[in-house]
Amino acid sequence: MSKEGTVLKAKGMWYEPWMCDKIKEVAATGGHVASMCVSIGIKSPDTFYRWIKEFPEFGEAYSESKLISLDFYERLSLQMATGEVKGDSRMMTVILNNKFRN
């Protein structure tokens, strides 16, 4: 839909292709939608979810970011299980159940 470097206005907000990479970077540290919105300057999750529908490359980046974030939490869980890092396993269960319901 857009070429690299192209800026598209979507109902009052500006979308830029670099945002796709940024949300994946946030996911790599375990961040999710709220952190992604802040990192790209979106003030509402509604805009974020609308962009997923309006810009196919953004939707694809979000799909990939969910997998990246899950990988982060799976690795962290394994590190906790082996004693490599300390953490609260109950909290990790809550995070995994709420973030990754499937």
Side-chain angles (χ1 to χ4, degrees):
M1 172 173 254
S2 63
K3 295 179 182 174
E4 182 124 3
T6 302
V7 177
L8 300 172
K9 189 167 186 176
K11 297 183 182 175
M13 294 292 301
W14 292 97
Y15 165 81
E16 297 182 53
W18 63 265
M19 294 173 172
C20 295
D21 291 331
K22 188 63 178 177
I23 66 172
K24 290 187 273 185
E25 286 176 24
V26 170
T29 62
H32 201 56
V33 174
S35 298
M36 291 174 189
C37 288
V38 169
S39 74
I40 61 175
I42 294 178
K43 296 181 174 142
S44 167
D46 293 338
T47 300
F48 185 90
Y49 289 115
R50 188 174 66 248
W51 285 7
I52 289 169
K53 294 176 186 172
E54 290 181 10
F55 303 109
E57 66 273 19
F58 193 75
E60 290 171 16
Y62 178 59
S63 291
E64 187 177 345
S65 75
K66 290 190 287 186
L67 182 62
I68 292 167
S69 186
L70 178 58
D71 177 64
F72 170 85
Y73 283 103
E74 285 180 348
R75 289 175 188 270
L76 184 57
S77 295
L78 287 172
Q79 290 172 329
M80 287 170 55
T82 61
E84 191 176 331
V85 297
K86 292 185 180 188
D88 185 337
S89 62
R90 292 172 293 165
M91 183 53 70
M92 183 59 71
T93 300
V94 169
I95 290 169
L96 290 171
N97 284 335
N98 287 321
K99 265 186 86 163
F100 308 103
R101 292 188 178 129
N102 296 338

